[in-house]
Amino acid sequence: MIGLELVVVLGVAVLLGNAAGDRYRIAPPVVLLVLGALLGFVPALREVELPPEAVLLIFLPVLLYWESLTTSLREIRRDLRGIILMSTVLVIGTAGAVAAVAHELGLAWGPAWVLGAAVAPTDATAVGVLAKALPRRNVTLLRAESLINDGTALVVFGLAVGITVGEDHFTVAHVTWLFAVSYVGGVAAGALTAWLVVRARRVFDNPLLGNVTMILTPFTAYLLAELIHASGVLAAVSAGLIMSQAGPRMAAAAMRRQAEEFWSLATFLLNGSLFVLVGLQAQAAVRELHGSALTHALIAVAAVSAVVVAARFAFNFTVPYLIRLLDRRPQQRLRRMNYRARVITSIAGFRGAISLAVALSVPTALASGAPFPDRDTIVFVTSGVIITTLVLQGLLLPAVVRWARLPHDTSVEEERLHAETTATEEALKALPTLVDDLATDPAVAERMREEYESHLLVVRAGGGERDGDDEDVLRHHRHYTALRLALLAHKRATLVRLRDDHEIDDTVLRHVQRRLDLEEVRLSRRQAAECPPTRTGALPCPRPRTRTPATRSSPPTAPICGR
């Protein structure tokens, strides 16, 4: 029964946590962590444990795959050197610094390195949620770093655990081999999986079957990597990056829409559930320590949290300057970031569920049968560091962003405008040829030409400086969209009335309503994209001057840009 109770509790916690975060303008992960910790006081939930296998084999492949699928590969190529350095050198350096501090606080070197490996990697899930409001380059750097550094941390963790347990040994050749197998094997497993999925999706053109192959992709990549003792994390990430390039060429529109809606909802629920479970597990970790052991562990949490932040600042304010000294190429100057942007990158190094999963993966016993030294302390300190980075740094980040005063990033909007304008212009140029090839009726061709020319005027008016004519075009288009939405509301109310009067069946209602919903979603999304806040100088969205006549079971008129 606890399984069903946990599903309901997690769902309610995710719902209330995100609603409270939006209502009080607090990062939802912070609220979800607090809710998870409070749920730990419920007696029935004290038995709940977060199995590391659940995070490493269920949550992690899905979340990393979706993060990599929605990350810009072009931006990764641009800053690849910095991403690799942050994913390897920074992780190893952070693990070493944490190990040194933990050793000074009383841990043996083996457990100290285990702790260092657990808290060294940043978390893609936390970064994606808490840092999404940053400029595109900062977000890409943080997301790409957190996607790759898990592989480095897991290699360090496995080596530290193996040496501590007595099943492994440290030599330069052995460590080099472990990293080579982890990285090369993981990328190869991901590439092979992506190739197989591309072949499969050409066979399965049904949207449902095609998306089943997409769901299997991260798990297959992770499994293949694990079979050869490579990094499953890198396998899922590389598969996602490859599919992000191949997917738009082969997937049909219905398949893409279905996939995007499914993955958006699935990753939202998984993300929220993970934060709640981390808070729940952190509360459980507190109960494992008592008296002086708890006091020393709290001191360790403060010290390790300070070290991981200090190591990140030290890296971001030393390595970039060394690169500047060694690389004087003009293109290198274009990649430079000012010190304010580097402060943001340093603050945004959040830890998350991957760190806790690594800590929970620590074995309970050595090869001799003796208990693994300081395992409870490792789990407690890791939980404390996660909470500290998410809560304190998550609350601090908005203030740091305001202090940094980074220029507003308009690159995405500029490229979107260029893409829509170019695509519409080339479609208009191809229209006469297509009309001839399809033997289209001239009246239909003329109507299509007018629609595309009108759309092109709207797109051009929506970007750059506007004159009076542009404002008239946008106002006309927004009034037209608002009227279309109001008419759809009338049609939907009529359908419901016909169903209630038993003139049509529920099946007919759903069939017709599906088409109305698709049109409303299309119009609403276009309107949302074309109605920016008035403080940017854009025209405010028109308010409807009339109300939909009240009818039985009729909904209110569709909102116009949130009004």
Side-chain angles (χ1 to χ4, degrees):
M1 189 62 179
I2 188 64
L4 180 59
E5 293 171 351
L6 183 60
V7 169
V8 174
V9 168
L10 285 177
V12 172
V14 170
L15 182 65
L16 296 180
N18 281 276
D22 293 339
R23 174 67 176 83
Y24 298 104
R25 296 184 179 181
I26 302 174
V30 176
V31 183
L32 294 173
L33 276 173
V34 174
L35 284 177
L38 294 176
L39 288 173
F41 291 103
V42 179
L45 296 177
R46 291 190 176 185
E47 303 175 2
V48 175
E49 294 184 359
L50 180 60
E53 295 81 6
V55 177
L56 295 176
L57 304 180
I58 298 177
F59 286 83
L60 197 60
V62 173
L63 295 175
L64 291 180
Y65 179 72
W66 181 245
E67 287 289 333
S68 60
L69 199 65
T70 54
T71 298
S72 170
L73 185 58
R74 185 187 68 177
E75 294 293 313
I76 291 177
R77 290 196 191 104
R78 173 183 175 179
D79 294 300
L80 183 60
R81 179 172 57 189
I83 292 169
I84 291 176
L85 289 174
M86 296 181 74
S87 303
T88 54
V89 176
L90 177 57
V91 171
I92 296 173
T94 301
V98 170
V101 171
H103 182 65
E104 289 296 322
L105 293 175
L107 269 66
W109 276 112
W113 271 98
V114 170
L115 175 61
V119 300
T122 54
D123 185 71
T125 300
V127 168
V129 175
L130 292 170
K132 60 185 178 182
L134 298 178
R136 179 168 67 168
R137 187 183 179 191
N138 295 77
V139 173
T140 302
L141 281 171
L142 291 168
R143 291 177 68 185
E145 173 204 356
S146 60
L147 289 173
I148 300 173
N149 61 16
D150 294 340
T152 304
L154 290 174
V155 172
V156 176
F157 171 78
L159 185 63
V161 170
I163 293 174
T164 304
V165 172
E167 297 176 351
D168 215 335
H169 60 283
F170 179 85
T171 64
V172 175
H174 180 60
V175 173
T176 303
W177 170 252
L178 289 177
F179 275 100
V181 171
S182 177
Y183 278 86
V184 177
V187 172
L192 175 60
T193 302
W195 180 81
L196 292 174
V197 171
V198 170
R199 304 281 293 184
R201 289 180 68 170
R202 288 174 179 170
V203 176
F204 302 116
D205 56 354
N206 182 288
L208 289 175
L209 297 179
N211 281 312
V212 169
T213 62
M214 187 175 181
I215 294 172
L216 290 173
T217 302
F219 300 107
T220 304
Y222 206 99
L223 175 61
L224 289 178
E226 289 293 315
L227 290 176
I228 61 175
H229 303 289
S231 172
V233 169
L234 291 178
V237 169
S238 59
L241 291 174
I242 294 173
M243 291 305 300
S244 71
Q245 303 302 302
R249 292 188 177 92
M250 61 183 184
M255 187 182 298
R256 284 196 301 270
R257 297 307 314 147
Q258 190 179 81
E260 183 174 337
E261 299 300 334
F262 167 78
W263 284 95
S264 297
L265 177 60
T267 53
F268 173 79
L269 291 174
L270 289 176
N271 277 335
S273 299
L274 264 183
F275 288 121
V276 176
L277 288 171
V278 167
L280 191 63
Q281 194 65 48
Q283 210 261 19
V286 174
R287 297 195 299 266
E288 299 296 329
L289 298 173
H290 307 280
S292 61
L294 179 59
T295 303
H296 287 111
L298 289 173
I299 295 173
V301 168
V304 172
S305 299
V307 168
V308 295
V309 175
R312 195 167 181 85
F313 269 94
F315 178 89
N316 285 320
F317 282 89
T318 56
V319 174
Y321 292 105
L322 292 176
I323 293 176
R324 291 184 185 184
L325 292 175
L326 298 175
D327 190 348
R328 296 287 187 173
R329 293 176 300 168
Q331 55 266 40
Q332 168 57 32
R333 295 190 179 94
L334 298 176
R335 300 191 185 103
R336 293 179 179 176
M337 300 172 64
N338 61 35
Y339 76 95
R340 292 177 181 265
R342 289 201 296 276
V343 169
I344 292 178
T345 303
S346 302
I347 291 292
F350 307 107
R351 271 62 182 176
I354 179 62
S355 294
L356 186 58
V358 170
L360 293 173
S361 300
V362 177
T364 57
L366 303 175
S368 62
F372 194 97
D374 299 305
R375 185 182 187 278
D376 291 339
T377 301
I378 293 172
V379 174
F380 177 86
V381 174
T382 302
S383 302
V385 171
I386 293 171
I387 293 176
T388 301
T389 58
L390 287 177
V391 174
L392 295 184
Q393 292 174 232
L395 295 176
L396 182 63
L397 183 61
V400 175
V401 171
R402 290 192 295 270
W403 163 82
R405 298 194 303 275
L406 297 179
H408 181 60
D409 187 0
T410 60
S411 59
V412 174
E413 183 60 26
E414 291 171 357
E415 290 181 10
R416 185 196 64 81
L417 176 64
H418 171 67
E420 291 194 11
T421 303
T422 304
T424 306
E425 289 174 346
E426 294 193 4
L428 279 172
K429 291 179 182 178
L431 182 60
T433 303
L434 296 175
V435 168
D436 293 338
D437 293 342
L438 299 174
T440 305
D441 184 274
V444 175
E446 180 62 21
R447 178 182 174 184
M448 184 64 67
R449 183 187 62 79
E450 291 177 355
E451 288 183 3
Y452 267 66
E453 287 179 347
S454 176
H455 175 65
L456 185 60
L457 289 175
V458 172
V459 172
R460 287 173 173 170
E465 297 295 330
R466 300 182 183 127
D467 55 23
D469 293 337
D470 289 337
E471 293 181 357
D472 290 338
V473 168
L474 290 176
R475 185 179 294 108
H476 177 275
H477 175 70
R478 288 168 180 163
H479 280 268
Y480 172 81
T481 303
L483 180 58
R484 289 283 297 272
L485 288 171
L487 288 173
L488 287 174
H490 269 281
K491 293 176 72 174
R492 186 175 290 105
T494 302
L495 287 174
V496 174
R497 177 177 58 80
L498 291 174
R499 192 274 312 273
D500 292 345
D501 291 341
H502 306 292
E503 296 184 37
I504 63 173
D505 187 65
D506 290 296
T507 303
V508 176
L509 170 66
R510 288 191 294 268
H511 179 76
V512 179
Q513 194 175 51
R514 186 180 301 115
R515 289 186 291 175
L516 297 181
D517 290 343
L518 289 174
E519 185 177 1
E520 180 176 334
V521 169
R522 178 180 62 84
L523 291 171
S524 298
R525 288 181 176 176
R526 177 186 295 180
Q527 189 180 56
E530 293 167 353
C531 291
T534 55
R535 69 174 181 270
T536 63
L539 285 172
C541 301
R543 292 180 182 268
R545 296 180 179 273
T546 60
R547 295 179 58 86
T548 304
T551 59
R552 180 156 47 92
S553 301
S554 62
T557 304
I560 308 302
C561 277
R563 291 187 173 88

